[in-house]
């Protein structure tokens, strides 16, 4: 989709201009230059089957196992539009506050490549399923100002097969599992001005689309891919006056940021040195931190768009669109303000939980009848810590709300120490199916409430370590931690740290 | 719209054509229904000379397969080589690019036919991917018309090139039916590929409304025009096959849904002047009284031969004699149909044939691409596609590719789409029946007959089958024969070619066409012609 910029290389840009600095300041990041940035996101839909066939959409299954006749482009095979993909695309544009189009249709985009079994990609060029909408960036996203980035359109299209280079010398291997998996391409208006805005836009898009079940939106596995259009202009010229370059295959947020920064600098330097900007497609080389030419406009393929004759136009009724709208979950922004208010939480904590699909619902279940702040703290520190250590999503974890609630109750009633509770959590997340109570019993854990025994332990310990005891008394109050740690180790964590420290203090302070 | 019929005023023509007319009736009623065994015998005897089949089953293969019970019980059916079958024979489209390709799935239409008892006896010869009008562009070589002209019959020795072409692209299917090698055959009709060979081989060729028969399993040429067509010796057999084949199919999104079929039925049944005809017995003196037949004057083209004109007049007279009101009508956009058709069909062909790259199936060039430049894709494709496609297919792909290029699309592709829409609208204006696609509600039953015609009558071809060796003045001349058949394809309306008359012993065909979805009325009128 290249529709937003005029394709002229402005002659005015060829005049030399004194380059000042591109030191990041505030919004005018590249003063006195401005950058104009638009994104094209390719998002794999979370549909079970492909866009036009009944084959499973699990593209990471063993190679060439999920292939229907149309996916291999067999003669006589015909596409069948998967209604689930239409619903998911409608969800996507509705959660971006855009409009589902009452009529949409498909087109063929032609080019020869081994990852394209039909010789064309079925996409929506003339009548996309979604238009309009926006994403609002603000403080909760890490910006200190607000910014609205408009959505130009959202179109349904097929993914390509996967080409495997270098596995077999002299050959490119083709895995058709991904061929025909449903994508939506989301095209933003060129409303962004800095790399930071672009990164926040992508992040927010991920949150929204995960939250509404449209896509898993992972850049690591390619279920979200990003192309960026960048042009620069001088402060006194129009935002769209520059010639744009397209940056392709940016596969992480860091790459997006790096590529935009590098490209803006390159364009400013080029124009400042009196050169003309040429419209190009470029990639990003992370090692050198520079963008590199991959295709000039002259060698761009002619896609020969043509209406897809095998798929009739899709007509969606007002009722159907309303049905989809009403099935959407509460959108993250509404959830954020509601959960923050209702439970008295910090908006940072709620934002963190919003970033994890299913987490808010997990939280709200667990918070029923419990201290919401404590529940949120456990989720954002302990559970998220474990998830990131395990490189897992909450939805993939074996931890259940019931287990987590039982853990919190045991903790609140002092049945376990927080050290034991953390161990419980690890066991739950390792796949243990037992409840908190059952596990506590199985371990034979109970909190040592026998203060007399703690007293004895303390006395023994102080006798054993006279040097440290003396240091404490000499004013090195932090020596206390040494003794606490020793007793915690001896009691295998079954004593409450606060009890231990009180008993120790009494012993040390009393033993004048 | 209604004009006096100037073509039918000369009494001498009337007499002359009545004679040829009677001749064709006799020709069609001679043979008894073909059985599977007799079909296989005839294939064994005649196919070496006629080259109708690309492959066929042996008599030993039928005893093992038990056919289903149904209206087509034990009908021997021939299937064009671009329709996928479960037979372990190639769905080759008569192309080197596919060669020995066998399909892992069967087309929906063959499934339906087999479900009704039909036995597929073989795959028929054709022009490569359906591109051609003489069945000469084929890896199997040309199919031969079983008819010999009266003058040739007297000759002692005839060279191969003196034989007549069966027409194309479904040439093999028409030959198979005409020679008794099957009882009915499936072909495909993109711009006349069923009607033209049917006319030249003296059999009935029917192209139904686009969407009546599923295209799933039909190898695409021009998808928005492609239609599975039926060839048989008489209209009754065509009707039997059509009744089984014209069913909804979820595997083809462009195949009419049961909802649309019901809407069309309600619409076509809302005409009392037609329903009264349907209720009449065939033995009545004027069985078609109440039906209005249009003679489109634009089809009287310069290229139209005298015998074709004669047969046209004879057909009109025959319909008038059956009680029809015959009127002259005008379809002024007809001359634009041919260029628009070729632009659209070739553009779609260039797209549909892009998949034949030799990577996943089919023939791959043995010339290894330059491995030093693996990123350059075009190199890898060029060898395979140059070797795999014949000259005519290459010509059409290249022209179609050009017509869709960003530089040419607005001068060729877009105007052709507009012409296509104009032609569709023009047909809608001519017919009494409204187009079911442009209607939101079905009409209440009408008491008075609206203006407009029920069917159109015009020749299928400008003349009889040429000799295989006949050289046209230019490549373009090859395409001119399609001038009679492409308008119905562009409009997606049903059309049928019926043998009416002969010239020098070679059969001629007349076409009837009707409004979108009015296939049953078309077949009813055709049955009387």
């Amino acid at each position: 989709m290249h529709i937003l910029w005029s394709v002229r290389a402005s002659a005015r840009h060829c005049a030399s201009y004194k380059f000042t600095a591109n030191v990041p300041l505030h919004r005018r990041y590249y003063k006195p230059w401005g950058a104009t940035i638009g994104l094209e996101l390719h998002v794999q839909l979370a549909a079970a089957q492909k866009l036009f066939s009944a084959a499973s959409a699990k593209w990471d299954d063993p190679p060439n196992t999920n292939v229907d006749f149309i996916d291999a482009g067999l003669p006589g095979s015909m596409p069948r539009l998967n209604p689930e993909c239409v619903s998911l695309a409608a969800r996507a544009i509705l959660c971006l506050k855009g409009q589902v189009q009452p009529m949409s249709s498909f087109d063929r985009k032609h080019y020869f490549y081994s990852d394209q079994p039909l010789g064309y990609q079925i996409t929506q060029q003339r009548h996309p399923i979604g238009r309009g909408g926006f994403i609002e960036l603000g403080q909760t996203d890490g910006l200190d100002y607000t910014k609205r980035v408009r959505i130009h359109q959202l179109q349904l299209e097929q993914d390509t097969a996967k080409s495997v280079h270098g596995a077999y010398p002299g050959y490119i291997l083709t895995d058709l599992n991904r061929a025909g998996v449903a994508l939506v391409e989301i095209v933003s208006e060129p409303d962004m001005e800095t790399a930071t805005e672009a990164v926040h836009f992508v992040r927010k898009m991920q949150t929204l689309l995960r939250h509404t079940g449209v896509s898993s939106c992972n850049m690591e596995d390619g279920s979200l891919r990003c192309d960026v259009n960048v042009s620069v202009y001088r402060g006194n010229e129009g935002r769209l006056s520059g010639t744009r370059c397209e940056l392709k295959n940016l596969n992480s947020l860091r790459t997006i940021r790096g590529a935009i920064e590098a490209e803006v600098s390159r364009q400013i330097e080029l124009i400042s040195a009196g050169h003309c900007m040429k419209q190009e497609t470029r990639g990003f080389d992370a090692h050198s931190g520079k963008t590199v030419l991959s295709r000039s406009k002259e060698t761009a393929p002619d896609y020969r768009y043509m209406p897809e004759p095998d798929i009739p136009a899709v007509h969606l009724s007002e009722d159907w669109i309303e049905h989809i709208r009403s099935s959407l979950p509460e959108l993250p922004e509404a959830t954020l303000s509601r959960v923050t208010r209702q439970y008295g939480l910090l908006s940072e904590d709620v934002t963190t939980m919003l970033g994890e699909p299913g987490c808010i619902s997990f939280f709200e279940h667990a918070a029923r009848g419990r201290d919401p702040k404590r529940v949120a703290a456990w989720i954002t520190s302990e559970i998220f810590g474990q998830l990131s250590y395990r490189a897992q999503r909450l939805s993939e974890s074996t931890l259940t709300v019931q287990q987590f609630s039982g853990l919190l109750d045991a903790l609140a009633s002092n049945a376990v120490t927080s050290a034991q509770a953390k161990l419980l959590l690890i066991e739950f997340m390792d796949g243990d199916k037992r409840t908190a109570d059952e596990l506590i019993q199985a371990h034979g854990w109970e909190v040592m409430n026998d203060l007399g025994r703690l007293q004895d332990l303390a006395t023994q310990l102080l006798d054993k370590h006279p040097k440290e005891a003396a240091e404490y008394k000499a004013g090195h109050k932090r020596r206390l931690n040494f003794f606490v740690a020793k007793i915690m180790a001896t009691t295998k964590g079954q004593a409450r740290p606060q009890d231990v420290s009180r008993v120790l203090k009494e012993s040390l302070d009393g033993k004048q | 719209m209604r004009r006096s019929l100037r073509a039918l005023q000369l009494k001498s023509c009337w007499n002359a054509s009545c004679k040829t007319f009677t001749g064709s009736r006799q020709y069609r009623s001679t043979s008894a229904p073909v059985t599977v065994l007799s079909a296989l015998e005839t294939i064994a005897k005649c196919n070496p000379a006629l080259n109708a089949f690309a492959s066929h089953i042996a008599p030993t293969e039928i005893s093992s397969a038990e056919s289903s019970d149904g209206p087509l019980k034990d009908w021997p059916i021939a299937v064009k080589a671009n329709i996928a079958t479960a037979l372990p024979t190639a769905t080759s489209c008569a192309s080197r690019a596919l060669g020995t390709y066998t399909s892992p799935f069967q087309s929906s239409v063959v499934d339906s036919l087999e479900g009704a008892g039909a036995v597929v006896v073989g795959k028929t010869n054709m022009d490569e991917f359906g591109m051609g009008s003489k069945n000469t562009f084929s890896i199997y070589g040309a199919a031969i018309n079983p008819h010999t002209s009266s003058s040739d019959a007297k000759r002692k020795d005839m060279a191969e090139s003196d034989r007549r072409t069966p027409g194309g692209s479904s040439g093999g299917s028409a030959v198979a039916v005409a020679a008794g090698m099957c009882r009915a055959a499936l072909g495909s009709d993109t711009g006349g590929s069923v009607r033209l060979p049917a006319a030249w081989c003296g059999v009935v060729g029917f192209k139904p409304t686009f969407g009546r028969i599923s295209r799933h399993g039909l190898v695409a040429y021009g998808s928005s025009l492609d239609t599975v067509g039926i060839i048989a010796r008489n209209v009754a057999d065509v009707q039997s096959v059509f009744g089984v084949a014209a069913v909804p199919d979820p595997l083809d999104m462009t195949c009419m849904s049961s909802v649309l079929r019901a809407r069309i039925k309600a619409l076509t049944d809302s005409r009392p002047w037609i329903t009264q005809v349907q209720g009449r017995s065939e033995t009545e003196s004027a069985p078609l009284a109440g039906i209005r037949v249009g003679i489109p004057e634009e089809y009287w083209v310069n290229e139209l031969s005298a015998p074709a004109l004669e047969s046209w007049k004879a057909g009109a007279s025959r319909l008038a004699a059956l009680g029809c009101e015959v009127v002259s009508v005008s379809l002024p956009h007809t001359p634009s149909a041919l260029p628009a058709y070729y632009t659209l069909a070739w553009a779609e062909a260039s797209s549909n044939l892009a998949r034949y790259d030799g990577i996943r199936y089919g023939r791959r060039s043995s010339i290894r691409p330059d491995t030093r430049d693996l990123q350059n894709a075009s190199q890898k494709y060029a060898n395979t596609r140059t070797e795999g496609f014949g000259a005519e297919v290459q010509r059409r792909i290249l022209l179609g590719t050009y017509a869709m290029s960003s530089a040419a699309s607005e001068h060729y592709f877009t105007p052709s789409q507009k012409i296509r829409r104009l032609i569709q609208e023009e047909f809608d204006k001519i017919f009494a029946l409204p187009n079911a696609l442009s209607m939101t509600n079905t009409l209440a039953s009408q008491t008075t007959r609206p203006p407009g015609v029920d069917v159109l009558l015009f020749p299928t071809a400008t003349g009889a089958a040429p000799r295989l060796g006949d050289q046209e003045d230019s490549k373009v001349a090859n395409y001119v024969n399609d001038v009679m058949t492409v308008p119905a394809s562009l409009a997606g309306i049903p059309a049928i070619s019926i043998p009416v008359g002969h010239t020098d012993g070679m059969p001629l065909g007349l076409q009837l066409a009707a409004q979108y979805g009015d296939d049953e009325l078309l077949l009813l009128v055709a049955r009387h012609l």
Side-chain angles (χ1 to χ4, degrees):
Chain A
M1 287 296 313
H2 316 301
I3 39 174
L4 305 170
W5 279 270
S6 57
V7 190
R8 64 207 157 88
S10 168
R12 288 168 297 168
H13 283 172
C14 300
S16 133
Y17 188 89
K18 193 162 178 288
F19 172 64
T20 45
N22 63 346
V23 183
L25 290 171
H26 177 50
R27 291 183 70 175
R28 271 292 146 79
Y29 215 64
Y30 311 103
K31 250 179 180 169
W33 294 82
T36 301
I37 301 162
L39 299 187
E40 293 170 17
L41 301 177
H42 288 89
V43 176
Q44 235 169 30
L45 295 181
Q49 293 167 314
K50 295 186 180 181
L51 181 53
F52 297 117
S53 86
S56 163
K58 282 197 189 134
W59 49 266
D60 50 353
D61 276 356
N64 294 312
T65 51
N66 295 327
V67 186
D68 205 341
F69 303 131
I70 182 79
D71 306 322
L74 293 193
S77 59
M78 295 189 77
R80 264 180 304 157
L81 180 58
N82 178 354
E84 191 191 0
C85 300
V86 179
S87 307
L88 286 171
R91 284 173 86 85
I93 192 69
L94 288 174
C95 81
L96 294 168
K97 303 185 185 71
Q99 295 87 43
V100 176
Q101 301 301 297
M103 194 285 283
S104 57
S105 64
F106 290 89
D107 301 281
R108 293 179 179 181
K109 173 183 178 180
H110 299 85
Y111 63 91
F112 284 112
Y113 201 69
S114 54
D115 66 7
Q116 193 68 272
L118 293 165
Y120 52 83
Q121 176 195 37
I122 306 179
T123 177
Q124 296 190 304
Q125 196 229 1
R126 296 158 308 141
H127 303 289
I129 187 167
R131 289 187 197 272
F134 57 88
I135 275 185
E136 194 118 339
L137 301 173
Q139 281 185 340
T140 52
D141 308 296
L143 287 185
D144 50 10
Y145 53 92
T146 59
K147 171 112 206 188
R148 176 176 283 202
V149 180
R150 292 165 300 153
I151 305 298
H152 177 74
Q153 70 175 46
L154 179 147
Q155 69 203 45
L156 267 168
E157 60 187 32
Q158 295 178 300
D159 207 341
T160 55
K162 212 164 93 187
S163 295
V164 182
H165 296 262
Y168 200 90
Y171 287 85
I172 300 171
L173 305 185
T174 302
D175 177 5
L176 293 172
N177 282 356
R178 206 180 67 182
V181 168
L183 298 178
V184 285
E185 179 176 327
I186 303 173
V187 184
S188 85
E189 297 286 358
D191 288 347
M192 286 157 280
E193 293 166 279
T194 66
T196 305
E197 288 175 3
V199 167
H200 286 311
F201 175 85
V202 174
R203 222 179 247 151
K204 190 133 194 186
M205 185 71 81
Q206 286 177 309
T207 308
L208 263 174
L209 298 182
R210 282 173 186 159
H211 181 76
T212 46
V214 169
S215 168
S216 57
C217 266
N218 291 322
M219 297 199 87
E220 308 83 65
D221 63 20
S223 57
L224 171 68
R225 283 160 255 162
C226 183
D227 299 341
V228 183
N229 285 298
V230 178
S231 69
V232 299
Y233 63 99
R234 283 193 201 79
N236 56 349
E237 287 176 358
R239 285 199 67 238
L240 302 179
S241 60
T243 301
R244 77 189 155 83
C245 282
E246 186 178 25
L247 307 172
K248 273 196 176 296
N249 300 325
L250 307 178
N251 295 327
S252 70
L253 291 174
R254 192 188 306 178
T255 317
I256 294 174
R257 181 186 294 280
I260 295 176
E261 303 276 12
E263 181 61 15
V264 169
S265 305
R266 185 188 74 89
Q267 293 189 11
I268 292 174
E269 277 167 37
L270 206 66
I271 299 168
S272 302
H275 297 290
C276 274
M277 266 295 300
K278 278 199 283 271
Q279 196 185 351
E280 289 169 350
T281 301
R282 301 179 70 85
F284 181 61
D285 177 22
H287 294 295
S288 66
K290 287 186 170 140
T291 65
V292 287
L293 176 69
S294 50
R295 200 166 66 199
S296 69
K297 188 171 178 286
E298 290 71 35
T299 58
D302 181 350
Y303 291 128
R304 295 178 287 118
Y305 284 101
M306 178 183 107
E308 169 55 78
D310 287 335
I311 306 168
V314 179
H315 295 273
L316 300 171
S317 70
E318 204 42 57
D319 284 351
W320 185 87
I321 297 169
E322 268 323 300
H323 167 73
I324 297 292
R325 197 192 305 275
S326 63
S327 73
L328 279 180
E330 186 181 42
L331 293 185
E333 258 146 44
T335 312
L336 175 63
S337 63
R338 179 179 63 79
V339 171
T340 311
R341 204 177 48 241
Q342 187 177 336
Y343 298 97
L345 300 180
L346 291 173
S347 73
E348 289 80 56
D349 284 349
V350 182
T351 307
T352 314
M353 289 197 286
L354 272 170
E356 185 63 40
C359 187
I360 291 290
S361 137
F362 187 87
F363 161 78
E364 293 202 270
H365 271 97
R368 217 167 281 161
R370 298 184 185 87
D371 174 10
K373 287 190 182 128
R374 209 178 156 90
V375 177
W378 258 83
I379 291 177
T380 52
S381 56
E382 303 307 330
I383 296 184
F384 280 14
Q386 281 296 322
L387 287 176
S388 106
Y389 169 70
R390 289 155 198 264
Q392 234 181 8
R393 304 241 69 115
L394 181 61
S395 54
E396 299 162 345
S397 172
T398 53
L399 174 69
T400 66
V401 181
Q402 287 71 26
Q403 288 177 321
F404 179 53
S405 304
L407 177 158
L408 292 172
D409 291 342
L411 196 61
S413 65
N414 286 329
V416 290
T417 64
S418 70
Q420 289 170 329
K422 284 171 196 172
L423 282 174
L424 279 183
L425 183 69
I426 290 170
E427 285 173 304
F428 291 149
M429 296 184 74
D430 281 344
D432 203 310
K433 296 264 183 291
R434 286 173 287 183
T435 64
D437 287 346
E438 285 167 351
L439 260 183
I440 291 166
Q441 232 168 21
H443 281 298
W445 283 346
E446 49 188 311
V447 174
M448 187 185 285
N449 282 321
D450 187 351
L451 290 186
R453 183 161 143 61
L454 275 185
Q455 194 71 61
D456 291 348
L457 281 173
T459 317
Q460 284 169 22
L461 201 62
L462 295 187
D463 288 348
K464 223 166 147 189
H465 300 281
K467 186 169 142 256
E468 285 79 5
E471 284 171 359
Y472 174 85
K473 282 174 202 158
H476 295 290
K477 296 291 180 205
R478 296 176 71 182
R479 274 282 169 258
L480 182 67
N481 293 342
F482 167 79
F483 291 107
V484 173
K486 287 274 176 203
I487 292 188
M488 290 307 291
T490 321
T491 59
K492 296 195 175 72
Q494 292 188 31
R496 265 194 293 277
Q498 52 269 47
D499 291 348
V500 176
S501 114
R502 199 177 70 240
V503 168
L504 274 169
K505 252 191 214 158
E506 281 168 11
S507 304
L508 282 166
D509 294 342
K511 204 174 176 182
Q512 292 301 336
Chain B
M1 190 164 56
R2 294 175 60 181
R3 311 224 176 138
S4 63
L5 187 58
R6 42 176 202 196
L8 296 172
Q9 287 161 353
L10 293 171
K11 209 160 188 182
S12 58
C13 289
W14 165 264
N15 292 335
S17 49
C18 271
K19 216 168 124 197
T20 29
F21 180 68
T22 321
S24 80
R25 293 282 285 186
Q26 280 170 348
Y27 168 74
R28 275 185 290 146
S29 57
T30 44
S31 49
V34 181
T35 65
V36 175
L37 270 179
S38 76
L40 294 181
E41 277 169 27
T42 317
I43 291 173
K45 202 170 70 195
C46 303
N47 195 52
L50 298 179
N51 201 19
F53 284 89
S55 59
H56 55 82
I57 59 169
T60 48
E61 288 173 75
I62 46 164
S63 50
S64 56
E66 182 74 20
S67 66
S68 317
D69 277 322
L72 305 181
K73 176 76 179 163
D74 290 331
W75 280 39
I77 301 275
V79 177
K80 192 176 179 180
N82 62 349
I83 298 174
T85 51
L87 271 178
T89 50
T91 300
S92 65
C93 302
S95 176
R96 230 179 144 204
L98 283 173
T100 55
Y101 172 80
T102 52
S103 177
F105 64 94
Q106 175 152 293
S107 56
S108 300
V109 60
V110 174
D111 272 345
S112 303
L113 263 48
E114 285 188 343
V119 178
V120 176
V121 292
K123 301 297 279 284
T124 55
N125 201 347
M126 59 183 284
D127 281 302
E128 184 177 2
F129 286 106
M131 302 182 195
S133 311
K134 291 165 86 180
N135 204 142
T136 46
F137 303 116
S138 164
I139 43 165
Y140 307 112
I144 310 292
N145 197 319
H147 295 270
T148 312
S149 71
S150 316
S151 44
D152 283 346
K154 293 171 197 145
R155 290 169 60 180
K156 289 244 165 64
D157 52 315
M158 241 172 71
E160 175 79 14
S161 61
D162 288 338
R163 296 302 304 256
R164 301 292 178 135
T165 165
S169 64
S170 311
S173 290
V175 173
V177 170
M181 297 192 270
C182 60
R183 181 154 176 193
L186 292 180
S188 66
D189 191 314
T190 306
S193 281
V194 154
R195 290 162 284 161
L196 182 67
W200 283 352
C201 291
V203 292
V204 178
F206 175 45
K207 178 202 98 72
T209 300
F210 183 86
R212 282 302 289 269
I213 300 180
S214 167
R215 289 188 292 126
H216 172 252
L218 166 67
V219 180
Y221 159 20
S223 314
S224 71
L225 301 148
D226 289 344
T227 318
V228 173
I230 301 162
I231 301 176
R233 287 209 169 182
N234 53 57
V235 178
D237 281 359
V238 167
Q239 276 175 316
S240 301
V241 175
F242 183 59
V244 168
V247 288
D249 181 15
L251 299 178
D252 172 5
M253 292 188 78
T254 64
C255 186
M256 290 180 190
S257 65
S258 45
V259 177
L260 178 56
R261 283 168 206 261
R263 195 164 90 208
I264 289 171
K265 174 130 191 10
L267 189 63
T268 52
D269 286 352
S270 69
R271 298 170 296 181
W273 70 96
I274 299 293
T275 44
Q276 95 197 10
V277 173
Q278 286 163 333
R280 235 173 256 155
S281 105
E282 286 192 31
T283 51
E284 273 183 47
S285 60
L288 297 183
I291 288 178
R292 193 179 289 152
V293 179
I295 306 290
E297 55 191 45
E298 285 77 11
Y299 286 72
W300 193 351
V301 293
N302 286 338
E303 292 86 355
L304 197 67
S305 66
L309 182 60
E310 299 277 302
S311 101
W312 190 5
K313 289 172 191 167
S317 309
R318 165 85 182 149
L319 289 177
L322 291 167
C324 293
E325 180 189 353
V326 180
V327 298
S328 175
V329 293
S330 174
L331 294 161
H333 284 107
T334 304
S336 311
L338 200 60
Y341 165 78
Y342 274 113
T343 307
L344 295 175
W346 296 356
E348 288 187 20
S350 77
S351 171
N352 283 325
L353 271 62
R355 67 186 65 180
Y356 304 112
D357 50 22
I359 292 176
R360 298 164 307 284
Y361 54 83
R363 190 181 172 284
R364 191 190 299 195
S365 169
S366 56
I367 304 171
R368 285 287 309 276
D370 189 346
T371 48
R372 284 165 303 181
D373 189 11
L374 279 173
Q375 296 302 320
N376 180 4
S378 58
Q379 240 273 300
K380 289 190 279 293
Y381 291 86
N383 295 333
T384 292
R385 289 168 64 82
T386 305
E387 292 172 20
F389 294 136
E392 182 62 19
V393 170
Q394 290 193 20
R395 183 157 42 238
R396 295 189 185 196
I397 289 177
L398 287 173
L399 289 168
T401 302
Y402 174 70
M404 275 204 307
S405 64
S406 57
S409 157
E410 62 176 305
H411 302 295
Y412 295 95
F413 191 73
T414 314
S416 298
Q417 283 181 306
K418 282 185 189 140
I419 291 171
R420 181 178 193 177
R421 204 157 45 244
L422 288 173
I423 286 171
Q424 281 165 343
E425 287 167 7
E426 205 165 82
F427 277 118
D428 285 348
K429 277 185 220 148
I430 283 279
F431 288 117
L433 183 73
N435 188 326
L437 290 180
S438 48
M439 299 215 7
T440 43
N441 299 309
T442 49
L443 287 178
S445 187
Q446 304 186 21
T447 44
T448 53
R449 195 194 196 293
V453 300
D454 301 309
V455 292
L456 293 169
L457 180 74
F458 47 93
T460 309
T462 51
R467 290 177 206 281
L468 283 171
D470 282 356
Q471 291 296 317
E472 272 81 13
D473 300 338
S474 68
K475 292 276 179 278
V476 178
N478 274 323
Y479 305 137
V480 169
N481 245 318
D482 300 339
V483 72
M484 303 295 192
T485 47
V486 297
S489 296
L490 286 172
I493 60 175
I496 188 167
S497 175
I498 309 286
V500 177
H502 289 81
T503 170
D504 191 21
M506 293 303 293
L508 292 166
L510 273 191
Q511 257 187 111
L512 286 165
Q515 175 60 299
Y516 178 87
D518 214 2
D519 305 62
E520 279 75 14
L521 173 69
L522 184 73
L523 292 169
L524 175 92
V525 177
R527 203 166 175 157
H528 285 90
L529 189 61

